Amino acid sequence: MTAIGSTTGWQNGLAGEIMRPLADGWTLPASWYSDPAVLKLERERIFAHSWQYVGHVDSVATPGSFLATEVGHVPVVIVCDNDGEVRGFVNVCRHRGHIVAQGSGCRATLQCPYHAWTYGLDGTLRAAPRSEREPGFDADAFSLLPIAVDTWGPFVFANVDPEASPLGETIVGIPELVDASGVDLGSLRLRTRVEWEMPANWKNAVENYLECYHCPTAHPSLAKVVDVDVDSYRLVERELSSSQFGSIRPSVYAEGANVAYVPRGEVEGAQYHFIWPNTTVNIEAGRTNLSVDVTFPTTPGRSKGWTDYYYGADVSDEEAAELLVFSSQVALEDQSLVESVQSGLESGMVPQGRLLLSSEKLLAHFQRLVSAALVGD
Ligand code: FES
Ligand SMILES: [Fe+2]
């Protein structure tokens, strides 16, 4: 819905920074990880037109329930209207821009805390104090701006573009893989949300997720449990998503094995799914579990996001905690990697890196999508 700027990627000079072709394994230019002009374009061309996970359907299950959150840089509010339909709006007051709804809860209307403009659950402006004194004031012209909302199982996604294609077109293939993983989506309960900020460009954080080439060196505890060897760790790319599959090393189950986590449960292998541009869905081997992770930029050099940890209803707190300790260790290691890469990229001394396409093809796929969005190539 945000207007796309009149300059193209070629006209604004960004394309010229790709000196060596991505198709040959060269990375996006290092400058794209700290340039405010790139972030502006990403917001217009990527985040204003893409599906992003926002939360669980239970939080908007009854009429009047609402959830205020963000899709990329855009504040949004997801509501369950009086007919029980889940819909979404840009959570920005049509008066002067205050954020209308805060947090989550259940209300008959959404009232802006600044001057009390009050909106119905259908987004229409129901009351604006003193507006009756304004000749010609047309309340119908100041509804909250609608956005697209869609669901996959218990997961709610939003897209700021109200004309967006259905979510199913973006995530095609992934629901079937998750179904086959041993995780029953209907049994999942949201146990914890972890929010975080990172001094790194959002692409840098996503790219770290998209390859496990670094796993043997940077994640020793993970690499002892999951088979991250190049010939067994599987990478699958689709138009707007990609997946990684890791099986569990048999040695994990040997008596006396010195490993951080011994998976025992319904789920046999790990699956890590990336949904363009900034949502990931992760299943570890063991008891029924699934985490959804969202990353988006706050400034060119910083990003933030959250991870929702779901577990099967019958998974004990101890089992959940054991898995959380294991994945938190990996997350901690990743954080230090991307912070270091950010420093290196910002030095400007290596304007384009060189990927190993056999191991980093999902990262290359992501960079092609970014490039296509920003410079049309
Ligand atoms: S900014 Fe919302 S009522 Fe004034
Ligand atoms: Fe990692």
Side-chain angles (χ1 to χ4, degrees):
M1 89 182 332
T2 306
I4 290 177
S6 57
T7 53
T8 67
W10 291 100
Q11 287 164 335
N12 64 26
L14 290 183
E17 293 172 16
I18 303 180
M19 294 167 292
R20 297 173 172 138
L22 303 189
D24 291 347
W26 296 99
T27 64
L28 293 175
S31 60
W32 287 23
Y33 295 74
S34 56
D35 182 348
V38 170
L39 176 57
K40 182 170 182 289
L41 218 52
E42 287 170 345
R43 286 177 166 165
E44 291 172 359
R45 298 188 180 184
I46 297 175
F47 291 100
H49 301 280
S50 302
W51 288 101
Q52 181 205 286
Y53 166 81
V54 288
H56 191 272
V57 285
D58 280 356
S59 56
V60 282
T62 52
S65 52
F66 70 91
L67 171 68
T69 182
E70 293 158 281
V71 171
H73 58 296
V74 181
V76 303
V77 58
I78 314 299
V79 304
C80 179
D81 71 13
N82 291 324
D83 299 324
E85 190 186 335
V86 177
R87 46 206 296 178
F89 304 99
V90 173
N91 191 18
V92 175
C93 186
R94 295 295 306 275
H95 176 217
R96 287 202 4 243
H98 198 284
I99 304 302
V100 177
Q102 328 275 332
S104 60
C106 194
R107 304 259 167 77
T109 54
L110 301 174
Q111 186 177 70
C112 178
Y114 201 170
H115 312 91
W117 282 30
T118 303
Y119 301 89
L121 300 175
D122 59 357
T124 55
L125 179 61
R126 296 289 170 82
R130 305 184 196 176
S131 61
E132 69 283 357
R133 293 167 173 254
E134 299 293 310
F137 182 83
D138 178 11
D140 291 345
F142 299 105
S143 298
L144 292 175
L145 301 171
I147 65 171
V149 176
D150 209 341
T151 56
W152 157 32
F155 308 125
V156 184
F157 283 70
N159 188 322
V160 174
D161 182 351
E163 307 298 331
S165 308
L167 170 67
E169 292 181 18
T170 294
I171 63 172
V172 66
I174 297 179
E176 293 77 5
L177 290 164
V178 170
D179 282 347
S181 72
V183 170
D184 169 13
L185 288 186
S187 77
L188 293 177
R189 301 287 178 274
L190 178 60
R191 201 77 62 106
T192 335
R193 169 170 286 199
V194 176
E195 299 186 350
W196 44 264
E197 285 195 54
M198 208 183 277
N201 181 273
W202 73 279
K203 299 188 293 298
N204 175 4
V206 168
E207 287 167 3
N208 169 73
Y209 174 88
L210 286 170
E211 51 90 1
C212 209
Y213 179 32
H214 70 276
C215 294
T217 33
H219 299 308
S221 59
L222 172 80
K224 273 174 101 171
V225 176
V226 177
D227 187 347
V228 296
D229 296 349
V230 63
D231 292 323
S232 41
Y233 194 82
R234 273 197 313 127
L235 309 173
V236 175
E237 105 188 28
R238 299 175 210 87
E239 190 180 349
L240 291 173
S241 71
S242 59
S243 301
Q244 302 170 65
F245 302 90
S247 52
I248 300 304
R249 294 188 191 277
S251 55
V252 166
Y253 299 104
E255 205 172 321
N258 181 23
V259 292
Y261 172 62
V262 182
R264 295 186 201 280
E266 308 77 23
V267 187
E268 286 185 2
Q271 300 188 354
Y272 308 115
H273 305 288
F274 168 70
I275 299 167
W276 167 261
N278 65 333
T279 299
T280 71
V281 175
N282 308 288
I283 295 171
E284 303 290 355
R287 295 304 317 275
T288 296
N289 73 93
L290 183 149
S291 65
V292 192
D293 193 82
V294 167
T295 304
F296 53 86
T298 52
T299 69
R302 292 191 71 85
S303 53
K304 73 172 185 178
W306 61 78
T307 308
D308 279 355
Y309 290 96
Y310 291 91
Y311 298 93
D314 63 344
V315 174
S316 70
D317 286 346
E318 291 71 30
E319 289 170 319
E322 190 190 6
L323 195 46
L324 188 59
V325 166
F326 178 65
S327 46
S328 299
Q329 172 63 28
V330 176
L332 209 62
E333 290 159 356
D334 281 327
Q335 171 145 3
S336 122
L337 298 171
V338 299
E339 286 181 24
S340 176
V341 167
Q342 190 67 26
S343 307
L345 294 171
E346 288 184 8
S347 76
M349 298 307 287
V350 178
Q352 274 187 280
R354 172 63 159 82
L355 300 174
L356 301 194
L357 290 176
S358 54
S359 292
E360 296 172 289
K361 70 175 189 178
L362 304 189
L363 195 163
H365 168 247
F366 169 75
Q367 295 203 343
R368 285 200 303 278
L369 290 172
V370 171
S371 170
L374 301 195
V375 302
D377 187 20

